[in-house]
Amino acid sequence: MSVSSEWVKVKNNGLAIDAYLAQPTGDGPYPGIVVFQEIFGVNAHIREVTERIAAQGYVAIAPALYQRLEPGFEVGYSDEDLAKGREYKVQTKASQLLGDTQASLDYLKGLPNTTDHFGCIGFCFGGHVAYLAATLPDIQVTASCYGAGIAQMCPGQDVGTTCDRTPAISGTIYAFFGTEDPLIPLDDVDTIEQALQEHNIDHKVFRYDGATHGFLCDQRDSYHPEVAKQAWGEIWQLFSQLND
């Protein structure tokens, strides 16, 4: 499916957030997907992912989650880039991340070619944000990919974790982890799965043997093509629920 893409502005309480929008060139209507960046910003890889999702028949939008800290932030994967991305990550707040997500959803709702079915996907830092976003009523399906810290903290909060918000998830969530990920202890994965089970959330938790952090990013040394193929297959199956 052919795709068009552009940078747009999403408004959240007076703040204009840069967002990368990709959509099929047909009339639609299509479900909407919010794409959450890694700590490296809405860089070339995240833009490619956004376009890839649009090519499958979705209107996809990737908001710049560091807009308040450094508009236009976009880096690669060097140690220096990693340090800068982490510096910004620890300054984010759950309330602002959720507000930016809702603003992105409202932008999608205002387009003439979207249905009223919405999902989200995030990677790394964005995987954590996706788990948060799953608590929004508009989000029906969520793909949270190696989101670190979900069971240990919540952005901008001194008390409580994002996992504590699990009861508020009303849709379906798939969570993807690598068994060799140094940033996400396997005990954390177990805690997340137990919370999803305890609160009867429609979910699947995937543990990929031999995969480490960033296994879906083909721009990183940690890319694992075989696992990535499997995971994307599950993601497309999840997103297909939005067409029902």
Side-chain angles (χ1 to χ4, degrees):
M1 188 176 293
S2 59
V3 167
S4 64
S5 60
E6 62 181 321
W7 284 97
V8 299
K9 296 285 188 181
V10 171
K11 299 293 182 64
N12 179 14
N13 292 326
L15 176 67
I17 302 164
D18 295 326
Y20 190 71
L21 178 72
Q23 53 191 323
T25 54
D27 294 333
Y30 307 102
I33 302 290
V34 182
V35 181
F36 298 117
Q37 66 184 59
E38 301 171 301
I39 61 172
F40 309 104
V42 184
N43 62 7
H45 170 64
I46 294 300
R47 295 195 297 272
E48 186 277 330
V49 168
T50 305
E51 293 167 2
R52 181 178 183 181
I53 292 171
Q56 294 294 319
Y58 304 91
V59 179
I61 190 167
L65 299 180
Y66 292 166
Q67 188 75 32
R68 295 169 183 81
L69 303 167
E70 185 177 329
F73 179 76
E74 174 186 342
V75 294
Y77 302 96
S78 70
D79 290 343
E80 182 180 351
D81 295 334
L82 180 65
K84 191 67 173 178
R86 285 177 170 168
E87 176 187 335
Y88 287 152
K89 181 193 73 170
V90 299
Q91 297 180 60
T92 60
K93 298 179 180 180
S95 58
Q96 293 173 340
L97 294 167
L98 288 169
D100 293 351
T101 302
Q102 189 61 56
S104 300
L105 290 165
D106 292 342
Y107 184 94
L108 292 177
K109 291 178 185 178
L111 297 176
N113 60 339
T114 55
T115 68
D116 58 354
H117 297 284
F118 301 99
C120 68
I121 184 172
F123 311 88
C124 181
F125 164 60
H128 190 137
V129 178
Y131 201 99
L132 265 176
T135 65
L136 294 173
D138 284 327
I139 296 292
Q140 294 160 275
V141 300
T142 296
S144 173
C145 304
Y146 36 88
I150 292 169
Q152 297 186 12
M153 53 80 72
C154 186
Q157 291 186 190
D158 294 328
V159 179
T161 71
T162 294
C163 193
D164 294 338
R165 302 188 181 209
T166 299
I169 298 174
S170 59
T172 301
I173 183 166
Y174 284 11
F176 302 84
F177 301 98
T179 61
E180 304 301 318
D181 192 331
L183 302 181
I184 307 174
L186 294 179
D187 286 349
D188 281 15
V189 179
D190 293 340
T191 297
I192 292 166
E193 186 169 40
Q194 289 165 8
L196 292 166
Q197 292 171 344
E198 178 183 348
H199 297 290
N200 297 311
I201 308 302
D202 188 13
H203 74 280
K204 290 183 181 180
V205 175
F206 299 90
R207 298 170 175 83
Y208 293 109
D209 290 337
T212 185
H213 201 73
F215 60 79
L216 285 167
C217 179
D218 60 6
Q219 302 300 309
R220 302 175 70 171
D221 292 339
S222 55
Y223 179 57
H224 196 306
E226 294 83 7
V227 169
K229 182 178 180 180
Q230 294 177 50
W232 273 111
E234 298 291 350
I235 291 165
W236 298 134
Q237 185 277 328
L238 172 68
F239 287 174
S240 71
Q241 297 181 27
L242 297 175
N243 294 309
D244 294 340

